[in-house]
Amino acid sequence: MRKNMQVVALALAAVMAAGMTGCGSSGSTTSTTAAAETEAAAEESEAAEETEAAAEIPADATVFKLGTTVNEQDSFQVAAEKFAELVAANTDGAYAIEIYPNGTLGGERDMLESMQMGTLDMGIITSGPFINFSSAMGVLDMPYLFSSNEEAYAVLDGEIGRELLDTLEDSSLKGLAYAERGFRNLTNSVRPIEKASDLEGLTIRIMENDVYTASFKALGVNATPMAWADALTALQQGTVDGQENPINVIYSYSLWESQKYVTLDRHSYSTAIITMSKDIFDTLDADTQQIFLDAAQEAAEYERAWVAAQESDQLQAMKDNGMEVVEDPDMDSFKEAVQPVYDQYSEYADYVARIQEQLAGLQ
């Protein structure tokens, strides 16, 4: 309905513009009148949208705001919409989730800090910033920790994953479930990357995360941490050579406009944690808390399946738009290059050992 109203407003504007052209230079009065009518139509459309949105939420519902930094085509939006649907249905409309995409409520670290303070209810946040709120979460960013989605799900949906989410409570955050950003891959505008040494000297935007910084420095990269909104500008302006993100992000943001080369090195599996202010979560009764936890898990699994279903078409679209994709790089060279990171972060040794033990049991 929102899109329909926008189309109506645009159509009205187009008709008025055509009328002005037909009249030639009929004077400023016609132009001013048309502009006023266009503005009025836009205001009417906006008012209709607000009325419709308000009508969808019961008047007595408790409304929570959920923020993301991505656009409406992203998998985070898919997870958020599913989560909102499940919460509304399973609480009989007593609770409603309003979704704010495109960084409307701030960057990811900003939103986590707002949740800490109880000024923001919820968010879906990539794994990178969480190390700043729980050092233990950094283990999930260790390079080449998982080799498949199935391995990641087994750990994240099990005892270790919940244990890590629970460490966030010391920072007044409540991790509900792990949705998915996916396996991260390299892109750049300079040259194809087929082995680790090909990265030497490139400037690559990375997430604001110490483990990522150490990993890419080990690869000989000029690692440049920055927020995603800033990264998009930096890529367009050429102030960084490349970035690293899953296929769905490369596709969603049409990164072929600034990036020529893709390497599917799958250096890290990146989660997307459905997160809530612990202070807000604690205001819910036990039954409602469980509804939120269950809804988050179901939404996470729904989003993972959506990502998997989209990936092959998205990869083909990247190729169709001129990106050169190295699908089978020399993985051994990458793994060897980042081995010092495991020595540097020895505090994760116990978690790494437990994860590896669990994964061995899957084989």
PDB file of all heavy atoms in Angstrom, residues 1-10 40-57 72 98:
ATOM      1  N   MET A   1       0.835  -1.211   0.000  1.00  0.00           N
ATOM      2  CA  MET A   1       0.000   0.000   0.000  1.00  0.00           C
ATOM      3  C   MET A   1       0.860   1.247   0.000  1.00  0.00           C
ATOM      4  O   MET A   1       0.598   2.213  -0.703  1.00  0.00           O
ATOM      5  CB  MET A   1      -0.909  -0.023   1.233  1.00  0.00           C
ATOM      6  CG  MET A   1      -1.846   1.159   1.301  1.00  0.00           C
ATOM      7  SD  MET A   1      -3.066   1.107  -0.017  1.00  0.00           S
ATOM      8  CE  MET A   1      -4.037   2.540   0.354  1.00  0.00           C
ATOM      9  N   ARG A   2       1.969   1.172   0.778  1.00  0.00           N
ATOM     10  CA  ARG A   2       2.870   2.330   0.821  1.00  0.00           C
ATOM     11  C   ARG A   2       3.383   2.635  -0.576  1.00  0.00           C
ATOM     12  O   ARG A   2       3.389   3.785  -1.018  1.00  0.00           O
ATOM     13  CB  ARG A   2       4.023   2.015   1.772  1.00  0.00           C
ATOM     14  CG  ARG A   2       5.072   3.113   1.823  1.00  0.00           C
ATOM     15  CD  ARG A   2       6.196   2.706   2.768  1.00  0.00           C
ATOM     16  NE  ARG A   2       5.705   2.662   4.133  1.00  0.00           N
ATOM     17  CZ  ARG A   2       5.745   3.675   4.968  1.00  0.00           C
ATOM     18  NH1 ARG A   2       6.222   4.844   4.590  1.00  0.00           N
ATOM     19  NH2 ARG A   2       5.292   3.552   6.205  1.00  0.00           N
ATOM     20  N   LYS A   3       3.801   1.589  -1.311  1.00  0.00           N
ATOM     21  CA  LYS A   3       4.332   1.812  -2.645  1.00  0.00           C
ATOM     22  C   LYS A   3       3.241   2.346  -3.564  1.00  0.00           C
ATOM     23  O   LYS A   3       3.489   3.198  -4.418  1.00  0.00           O
ATOM     24  CB  LYS A   3       4.909   0.500  -3.193  1.00  0.00           C
ATOM     25  CG  LYS A   3       6.183   0.076  -2.496  1.00  0.00           C
ATOM     26  CD  LYS A   3       6.755  -1.194  -3.107  1.00  0.00           C
ATOM     27  CE  LYS A   3       8.052  -1.583  -2.430  1.00  0.00           C
ATOM     28  NZ  LYS A   3       8.605  -2.841  -2.972  1.00  0.00           N
ATOM     29  N   ASN A   4       2.014   1.817  -3.424  1.00  0.00           N
ATOM     30  CA  ASN A   4       0.915   2.286  -4.263  1.00  0.00           C
ATOM     31  C   ASN A   4       0.664   3.760  -4.075  1.00  0.00           C
ATOM     32  O   ASN A   4       0.439   4.505  -5.031  1.00  0.00           O
ATOM     33  CB  ASN A   4      -0.358   1.493  -3.945  1.00  0.00           C
ATOM     34  CG  ASN A   4      -0.260   0.046  -4.419  1.00  0.00           C
ATOM     35  OD1 ASN A   4       0.564  -0.248  -5.275  1.00  0.00           O
ATOM     36  ND2 ASN A   4      -1.093  -0.813  -3.861  1.00  0.00           N
ATOM     37  N   MET A   5       0.689   4.193  -2.826  1.00  0.00           N
ATOM     38  CA  MET A   5       0.447   5.617  -2.556  1.00  0.00           C
ATOM     39  C   MET A   5       1.567   6.466  -3.152  1.00  0.00           C
ATOM     40  O   MET A   5       1.331   7.555  -3.673  1.00  0.00           O
ATOM     41  CB  MET A   5       0.342   5.852  -1.053  1.00  0.00           C
ATOM     42  CG  MET A   5      -0.862   5.163  -0.406  1.00  0.00           C
ATOM     43  SD  MET A   5      -2.431   5.646  -1.137  1.00  0.00           S
ATOM     44  CE  MET A   5      -2.444   7.402  -0.778  1.00  0.00           C
ATOM     45  N   GLN A   6       2.799   5.954  -3.083  1.00  0.00           N
ATOM     46  CA  GLN A   6       3.915   6.716  -3.654  1.00  0.00           C
ATOM     47  C   GLN A   6       3.755   6.822  -5.156  1.00  0.00           C
ATOM     48  O   GLN A   6       4.029   7.854  -5.768  1.00  0.00           O
ATOM     49  CB  GLN A   6       5.226   6.030  -3.293  1.00  0.00           C
ATOM     50  CG  GLN A   6       5.555   6.159  -1.818  1.00  0.00           C
ATOM     51  CD  GLN A   6       6.775   5.335  -1.444  1.00  0.00           C
ATOM     52  OE1 GLN A   6       7.124   4.390  -2.148  1.00  0.00           O
ATOM     53  NE2 GLN A   6       7.416   5.694  -0.355  1.00  0.00           N
ATOM     54  N   VAL A   7       3.316   5.711  -5.784  1.00  0.00           N
ATOM     55  CA  VAL A   7       3.100   5.729  -7.230  1.00  0.00           C
ATOM     56  C   VAL A   7       2.034   6.741  -7.597  1.00  0.00           C
ATOM     57  O   VAL A   7       2.155   7.484  -8.566  1.00  0.00           O
ATOM     58  CB  VAL A   7       2.706   4.313  -7.719  1.00  0.00           C
ATOM     59  CG1 VAL A   7       2.213   4.368  -9.157  1.00  0.00           C
ATOM     60  CG2 VAL A   7       3.884   3.381  -7.600  1.00  0.00           C
ATOM     61  N   VAL A   8       0.946   6.786  -6.814  1.00  0.00           N
ATOM     62  CA  VAL A   8      -0.117   7.767  -7.073  1.00  0.00           C
ATOM     63  C   VAL A   8       0.435   9.184  -7.006  1.00  0.00           C
ATOM     64  O   VAL A   8       0.155  10.017  -7.873  1.00  0.00           O
ATOM     65  CB  VAL A   8      -1.275   7.587  -6.061  1.00  0.00           C
ATOM     66  CG1 VAL A   8      -2.256   8.740  -6.172  1.00  0.00           C
ATOM     67  CG2 VAL A   8      -1.983   6.270  -6.321  1.00  0.00           C
ATOM     68  N   ALA A   9       1.221   9.449  -5.977  1.00  0.00           N
ATOM     69  CA  ALA A   9       1.782  10.791  -5.818  1.00  0.00           C
ATOM     70  C   ALA A   9       2.669  11.152  -6.996  1.00  0.00           C
ATOM     71  O   ALA A   9       2.618  12.262  -7.535  1.00  0.00           O
ATOM     72  CB  ALA A   9       2.560  10.867  -4.506  1.00  0.00           C
ATOM     73  N   LEU A  10       3.490  10.185  -7.437  1.00  0.00           N
ATOM     74  CA  LEU A  10       4.383  10.446  -8.566  1.00  0.00           C
ATOM     75  C   LEU A  10       3.586  10.655  -9.855  1.00  0.00           C
ATOM     76  O   LEU A  10       3.930  11.492 -10.681  1.00  0.00           O
ATOM     77  CB  LEU A  10       5.349   9.272  -8.724  1.00  0.00           C
ATOM     78  CG  LEU A  10       6.425   9.146  -7.644  1.00  0.00           C
ATOM     79  CD1 LEU A  10       7.184   7.828  -7.800  1.00  0.00           C
ATOM     80  CD2 LEU A  10       7.392  10.320  -7.723  1.00  0.00           C
ATOM     81  N   ALA A  40       0.792  19.005  -1.838  1.00  0.00           N
ATOM     82  CA  ALA A  40      -0.410  18.574  -1.124  1.00  0.00           C
ATOM     83  C   ALA A  40      -0.673  17.097  -1.343  1.00  0.00           C
ATOM     84  O   ALA A  40      -1.058  16.368  -0.424  1.00  0.00           O
ATOM     85  CB  ALA A  40      -1.613  19.397  -1.596  1.00  0.00           C
ATOM     86  N   ALA A  41      -0.457  16.641  -2.602  1.00  0.00           N
ATOM     87  CA  ALA A  41      -0.663  15.217  -2.903  1.00  0.00           C
ATOM     88  C   ALA A  41       0.309  14.365  -2.111  1.00  0.00           C
ATOM     89  O   ALA A  41      -0.047  13.302  -1.596  1.00  0.00           O
ATOM     90  CB  ALA A  41      -0.488  14.968  -4.404  1.00  0.00           C
ATOM     91  N   ALA A  42       1.569  14.829  -2.016  1.00  0.00           N
ATOM     92  CA  ALA A  42       2.585  14.085  -1.262  1.00  0.00           C
ATOM     93  C   ALA A  42       2.213  14.013   0.212  1.00  0.00           C
ATOM     94  O   ALA A  42       2.356  12.972   0.854  1.00  0.00           O
ATOM     95  CB  ALA A  42       3.947  14.736  -1.442  1.00  0.00           C
ATOM     96  N   GLU A  43       1.731  15.139   0.744  1.00  0.00           N
ATOM     97  CA  GLU A  43       1.338  15.163   2.154  1.00  0.00           C
ATOM     98  C   GLU A  43       0.153  14.246   2.400  1.00  0.00           C
ATOM     99  O   GLU A  43       0.073  13.545   3.410  1.00  0.00           O
ATOM    100  CB  GLU A  43       0.999  16.601   2.577  1.00  0.00           C
ATOM    101  CG  GLU A  43       2.230  17.504   2.653  1.00  0.00           C
ATOM    102  CD  GLU A  43       1.863  18.940   2.969  1.00  0.00           C
ATOM    103  OE1 GLU A  43       0.652  19.244   2.977  1.00  0.00           O
ATOM    104  OE2 GLU A  43       2.778  19.745   3.195  1.00  0.00           O
ATOM    105  N   GLU A  44      -0.796  14.237   1.448  1.00  0.00           N
ATOM    106  CA  GLU A  44      -1.956  13.365   1.575  1.00  0.00           C
ATOM    107  C   GLU A  44      -1.525  11.900   1.553  1.00  0.00           C
ATOM    108  O   GLU A  44      -2.024  11.074   2.317  1.00  0.00           O
ATOM    109  CB  GLU A  44      -2.938  13.638   0.438  1.00  0.00           C
ATOM    110  CG  GLU A  44      -4.210  12.786   0.514  1.00  0.00           C
ATOM    111  CD  GLU A  44      -5.162  13.097  -0.625  1.00  0.00           C
ATOM    112  OE1 GLU A  44      -4.931  14.109  -1.318  1.00  0.00           O
ATOM    113  OE2 GLU A  44      -6.108  12.324  -0.817  1.00  0.00           O
ATOM    114  N   SER A  45      -0.562  11.585   0.644  1.00  0.00           N
ATOM    115  CA  SER A  45      -0.052  10.221   0.562  1.00  0.00           C
ATOM    116  C   SER A  45       0.614   9.808   1.859  1.00  0.00           C
ATOM    117  O   SER A  45       0.385   8.709   2.369  1.00  0.00           O
ATOM    118  CB  SER A  45       0.963  10.114  -0.598  1.00  0.00           C
ATOM    119  OG  SER A  45       1.606   8.864  -0.587  1.00  0.00           O
ATOM    120  N   GLU A  46       1.440  10.694   2.403  1.00  0.00           N
ATOM    121  CA  GLU A  46       2.140  10.396   3.658  1.00  0.00           C
ATOM    122  C   GLU A  46       1.149  10.192   4.795  1.00  0.00           C
ATOM    123  O   GLU A  46       1.291   9.271   5.611  1.00  0.00           O
ATOM    124  CB  GLU A  46       3.100  11.533   3.994  1.00  0.00           C
ATOM    125  CG  GLU A  46       3.923  11.278   5.254  1.00  0.00           C
ATOM    126  CD  GLU A  46       4.914  12.391   5.526  1.00  0.00           C
ATOM    127  OE1 GLU A  46       5.033  13.306   4.688  1.00  0.00           O
ATOM    128  OE2 GLU A  46       5.563  12.349   6.578  1.00  0.00           O
ATOM    129  N   ALA A  47       0.129  11.031   4.847  1.00  0.00           N
ATOM    130  CA  ALA A  47      -0.879  10.899   5.896  1.00  0.00           C
ATOM    131  C   ALA A  47      -1.621   9.578   5.771  1.00  0.00           C
ATOM    132  O   ALA A  47      -1.915   8.912   6.771  1.00  0.00           O
ATOM    133  CB  ALA A  47      -1.875  12.069   5.810  1.00  0.00           C
ATOM    134  N   ALA A  48      -1.908   9.178   4.530  1.00  0.00           N
ATOM    135  CA  ALA A  48      -2.602   7.913   4.312  1.00  0.00           C
ATOM    136  C   ALA A  48      -1.744   6.746   4.767  1.00  0.00           C
ATOM    137  O   ALA A  48      -2.228   5.782   5.355  1.00  0.00           O
ATOM    138  CB  ALA A  48      -2.971   7.753   2.838  1.00  0.00           C
ATOM    139  N   GLU A  49      -0.432   6.846   4.459  1.00  0.00           N
ATOM    140  CA  GLU A  49       0.487   5.782   4.873  1.00  0.00           C
ATOM    141  C   GLU A  49       0.526   5.671   6.390  1.00  0.00           C
ATOM    142  O   GLU A  49       0.523   4.572   6.955  1.00  0.00           O
ATOM    143  CB  GLU A  49       1.891   6.071   4.340  1.00  0.00           C
ATOM    144  CG  GLU A  49       1.995   5.925   2.825  1.00  0.00           C
ATOM    145  CD  GLU A  49       3.310   6.468   2.295  1.00  0.00           C
ATOM    146  OE1 GLU A  49       4.170   6.809   3.128  1.00  0.00           O
ATOM    147  OE2 GLU A  49       3.483   6.541   1.079  1.00  0.00           O
ATOM    148  N   GLU A  50       0.595   6.813   7.071  1.00  0.00           N
ATOM    149  CA  GLU A  50       0.657   6.805   8.529  1.00  0.00           C
ATOM    150  C   GLU A  50      -0.628   6.235   9.123  1.00  0.00           C
ATOM    151  O   GLU A  50      -0.614   5.483  10.093  1.00  0.00           O
ATOM    152  CB  GLU A  50       0.906   8.221   9.045  1.00  0.00           C
ATOM    153  CG  GLU A  50       2.315   8.741   8.712  1.00  0.00           C
ATOM    154  CD  GLU A  50       2.501  10.185   9.113  1.00  0.00           C
ATOM    155  OE1 GLU A  50       1.495  10.824   9.510  1.00  0.00           O
ATOM    156  OE2 GLU A  50       3.625  10.690   9.032  1.00  0.00           O
ATOM    157  N   THR A  51      -1.770   6.600   8.512  1.00  0.00           N
ATOM    158  CA  THR A  51      -3.052   6.080   8.994  1.00  0.00           C
ATOM    159  C   THR A  51      -3.120   4.574   8.821  1.00  0.00           C
ATOM    160  O   THR A  51      -3.556   3.840   9.706  1.00  0.00           O
ATOM    161  CB  THR A  51      -4.211   6.741   8.227  1.00  0.00           C
ATOM    162  OG1 THR A  51      -4.157   8.147   8.439  1.00  0.00           O
ATOM    163  CG2 THR A  51      -5.549   6.200   8.700  1.00  0.00           C
ATOM    164  N   GLU A  52      -2.645   4.099   7.639  1.00  0.00           N
ATOM    165  CA  GLU A  52      -2.658   2.666   7.371  1.00  0.00           C
ATOM    166  C   GLU A  52      -1.756   1.928   8.356  1.00  0.00           C
ATOM    167  O   GLU A  52      -2.119   0.891   8.904  1.00  0.00           O
ATOM    168  CB  GLU A  52      -2.190   2.411   5.944  1.00  0.00           C
ATOM    169  CG  GLU A  52      -2.144   0.925   5.602  1.00  0.00           C
ATOM    170  CD  GLU A  52      -1.460   0.668   4.281  1.00  0.00           C
ATOM    171  OE1 GLU A  52      -0.792   1.583   3.771  1.00  0.00           O
ATOM    172  OE2 GLU A  52      -1.575  -0.458   3.776  1.00  0.00           O
ATOM    173  N   ALA A  53      -0.539   2.454   8.591  1.00  0.00           N
ATOM    174  CA  ALA A  53       0.392   1.809   9.505  1.00  0.00           C
ATOM    175  C   ALA A  53      -0.194   1.733  10.902  1.00  0.00           C
ATOM    176  O   ALA A  53      -0.071   0.724  11.603  1.00  0.00           O
ATOM    177  CB  ALA A  53       1.717   2.567   9.523  1.00  0.00           C
ATOM    178  N   ALA A  54      -0.835   2.822  11.321  1.00  0.00           N
ATOM    179  CA  ALA A  54      -1.426   2.850  12.654  1.00  0.00           C
ATOM    180  C   ALA A  54      -2.563   1.840  12.762  1.00  0.00           C
ATOM    181  O   ALA A  54      -2.756   1.195  13.788  1.00  0.00           O
ATOM    182  CB  ALA A  54      -1.934   4.257  12.972  1.00  0.00           C
ATOM    183  N   ALA A  55      -3.307   1.678  11.638  1.00  0.00           N
ATOM    184  CA  ALA A  55      -4.442   0.755  11.660  1.00  0.00           C
ATOM    185  C   ALA A  55      -3.985  -0.687  11.791  1.00  0.00           C
ATOM    186  O   ALA A  55      -4.715  -1.535  12.291  1.00  0.00           O
ATOM    187  CB  ALA A  55      -5.260   0.936  10.378  1.00  0.00           C
ATOM    188  N   GLU A  56      -2.776  -1.001  11.311  1.00  0.00           N
ATOM    189  CA  GLU A  56      -2.273  -2.363  11.363  1.00  0.00           C
ATOM    190  C   GLU A  56      -1.889  -2.771  12.780  1.00  0.00           C
ATOM    191  O   GLU A  56      -1.772  -3.960  13.075  1.00  0.00           O
ATOM    192  CB  GLU A  56      -1.072  -2.506  10.435  1.00  0.00           C
ATOM    193  CG  GLU A  56      -1.430  -2.374   8.955  1.00  0.00           C
ATOM    194  CD  GLU A  56      -0.210  -2.338   8.067  1.00  0.00           C
ATOM    195  OE1 GLU A  56       0.911  -2.330   8.629  1.00  0.00           O
ATOM    196  OE2 GLU A  56      -0.357  -2.331   6.845  1.00  0.00           O
ATOM    197  N   ILE A  57      -1.629  -1.832  13.651  1.00  0.00           N
ATOM    198  CA  ILE A  57      -1.199  -2.110  15.013  1.00  0.00           C
ATOM    199  C   ILE A  57      -2.347  -1.818  15.974  1.00  0.00           C
ATOM    200  O   ILE A  57      -2.881  -0.710  15.989  1.00  0.00           O
ATOM    201  CB  ILE A  57       0.023  -1.239  15.385  1.00  0.00           C
ATOM    202  CG1 ILE A  57       1.203  -1.569  14.458  1.00  0.00           C
ATOM    203  CG2 ILE A  57       0.419  -1.451  16.842  1.00  0.00           C
ATOM    204  CD1 ILE A  57       2.401  -0.671  14.661  1.00  0.00           C
ATOM    205  N   GLU A  72      15.815  -2.434   2.348  1.00  0.00           N
ATOM    206  CA  GLU A  72      14.651  -3.314   2.433  1.00  0.00           C
ATOM    207  C   GLU A  72      14.765  -4.561   1.564  1.00  0.00           C
ATOM    208  O   GLU A  72      13.928  -5.467   1.666  1.00  0.00           O
ATOM    209  CB  GLU A  72      13.380  -2.546   2.048  1.00  0.00           C
ATOM    210  CG  GLU A  72      12.988  -1.457   3.024  1.00  0.00           C
ATOM    211  CD  GLU A  72      13.623  -0.102   2.711  1.00  0.00           C
ATOM    212  OE1 GLU A  72      14.681  -0.063   2.034  1.00  0.00           O
ATOM    213  OE2 GLU A  72      13.054   0.918   3.146  1.00  0.00           O
ATOM    214  N   GLU A  98       8.015  -2.534  15.086  1.00  0.00           N
ATOM    215  CA  GLU A  98       8.186  -1.583  13.982  1.00  0.00           C
ATOM    216  C   GLU A  98       9.631  -1.660  13.498  1.00  0.00           C
ATOM    217  O   GLU A  98      10.562  -1.569  14.293  1.00  0.00           O
ATOM    218  CB  GLU A  98       7.875  -0.159  14.436  1.00  0.00           C
ATOM    219  CG  GLU A  98       6.401   0.096  14.668  1.00  0.00           C
ATOM    220  CD  GLU A  98       6.101   1.547  15.008  1.00  0.00           C
ATOM    221  OE1 GLU A  98       7.035   2.294  15.364  1.00  0.00           O
ATOM    222  OE2 GLU A  98       4.919   1.926  14.932  1.00  0.00           O
TER     223      GLU A  98
END
